[in-house]
Amino acid sequence: MSRKSILKYLLPAALFGTFMGVIFLGSMAIGPRPAKKQMVICYKFNDGLSETAKNQHLNNFKSLKKQSPEILNYSGGFTSDVNENYDVMHYLTFTTEEEITKFKESDAFKSFNQDQKDVVKNELVILAEIK
């Protein structure tokens, strides 16, 4: 193989490898945003609500994660039988209080709350700092 053909193929490969290495190291240095704030929302459903409607509530809330870039992480589910005060719990994490405010004022969350007016009897919201 001639020197000219080696440079023709190796130089672009070396440049591309260097570029990808810089991108990889840069993404490792930046890393994911740390969660600093948490929000727990508990709901008590109206009496006689069907299991389908309860599951739909969970699925609709879960879809808020896709619609709201402020949410870093979400988990939720039905509460245990011991807790009779609330039927479901949603746990969300954020980086700042401003992002919580932005989420609570978002059209997606307002629309969710509007849709749930006939389903939910009681709501509890707890905000806390992650230490």
Side-chain angles (χ1 to χ4, degrees):
M1 202 174 229
S2 72
R3 183 179 173 132
K4 189 174 185 179
S5 63
I6 290 174
L7 287 176
K8 182 178 177 181
Y9 295 108
L10 278 181
L11 185 60
L15 289 174
F16 181 72
T18 303
F19 174 74
M20 292 307 292
V22 168
I23 295 295
F24 177 71
L25 291 174
S27 67
M28 286 179 56
I30 295 170
R33 300 180 298 168
K36 303 218 185 245
K37 303 293 179 182
Q38 55 193 337
M39 176 185 213
V40 176
I41 305 176
C42 299
Y43 292 103
K44 177 71 175 172
F45 294 126
N46 289 326
D47 296 331
L49 192 65
S50 71
E51 288 299 314
T52 305
K54 292 176 184 179
N55 286 320
Q56 186 65 39
H57 167 92
L58 283 172
N59 291 333
N60 290 346
F61 201 102
K62 186 177 185 179
S63 72
L64 289 174
K65 168 118 174 61
K66 295 175 187 167
Q67 300 172 22
S68 304
E70 303 85 18
I71 300 172
L72 292 181
N73 198 9
Y74 164 78
S75 62
F78 292 103
T79 58
S80 66
D81 292 336
V82 177
N83 184 356
E84 296 176 6
N85 295 326
Y86 296 95
D87 297 312
V88 294
M89 184 204 78
H90 304 282
Y91 175 74
L92 305 100
T93 58
F94 301 87
T95 55
T96 64
E97 286 186 34
E98 290 79 24
E99 288 185 344
I100 292 174
T101 302
K102 194 184 229 186
F103 167 70
K104 288 166 62 175
E105 294 174 356
S106 71
D107 290 337
F109 187 62
K110 286 180 180 178
S111 175
F112 172 82
N113 281 333
Q114 186 65 32
D115 293 343
Q116 298 300 307
K117 281 193 175 199
D118 296 334
V119 174
V120 173
K121 180 192 300 188
N122 197 7
E123 174 188 55
L124 171 69
V125 177
I126 302 170
L127 301 174
E129 190 172 335
I130 297 174
K131 294 268 182 182

